[in-house]
Amino acid sequence: QGQLMESGGGLVQAGGSLRLSCPASRIITSVLSGSTLAWYRQAPGKQRELVASTRSGSSTYYTDSVKGRFTISRDNAKKMVYLQMNSLQPEDTAVYFCNVNTGQTDYWGRGTQVTVSA
């Protein structure tokens, strides 16, 4: 935990947007391009859940509650992972974690807080 460093969290009103960023500079480009990239979140008193994931050559996954509102993306050249979050709702309030799984190593960030007010 703590090998990645997410940013972009904050306090936003319902209906607003945030873009989370996750630099993966520790991971060489050729490995990153073949890795599974994901965003998880953990709300108070709840288990960590997978929000979105993507892998080159495979379909992108979104948990049902964020479909149509969140978009996961990657920029291999910049070694960045993003989560664009639109139409945020109070139930999206959680700590959001970036995850990069190379198949041999599982990288995690410390998390960034997202708080959505009603």
Side-chain angles (χ1 to χ4, degrees):
Q1 194 91 9
Q3 299 151 317
L4 305 173
M5 189 173 293
E6 305 90 341
S7 64
L11 174 63
V12 64
Q13 289 186 330
S17 298
L18 287 173
R19 187 195 197 200
L20 306 184
S21 299
C22 176
S25 56
R26 290 173 175 258
I27 306 169
I28 62 175
T29 302
S30 60
V31 173
L32 182 62
S33 62
S35 299
T36 299
L37 314 179
W39 288 92
Y40 288 76
R41 67 185 179 186
Q42 187 166 18
K46 295 186 177 180
Q47 289 188 331
R48 189 173 297 188
E49 68 166 338
L50 175 63
V51 176
S53 67
T54 183
R55 180 182 172 88
S56 295
S58 299
S59 59
T60 299
Y61 167 85
Y62 294 98
T63 192
D64 285 346
S65 62
V66 309
K67 285 180 180 177
R69 300 188 297 123
F70 290 12
T71 303
I72 186 171
S73 62
R74 63 197 298 166
D75 186 329
N76 289 333
K78 295 182 179 179
K79 297 186 180 181
M80 293 293 292
V81 185
Y82 303 101
L83 184 68
Q84 178 66 44
M85 305 185 295
N86 299 327
S87 301
L88 283 160
Q89 301 300 316
E91 52 265 34
D92 296 317
T93 295
V95 178
Y96 284 72
F97 299 89
C98 176
N99 172 253
V100 176
N101 189 311
T102 69
Q104 292 188 332
T105 305
D106 208 17
Y107 295 88
W108 287 92
R110 294 184 181 275
T112 184
Q113 176 70 44
V114 172
T115 303
V116 185
S117 63

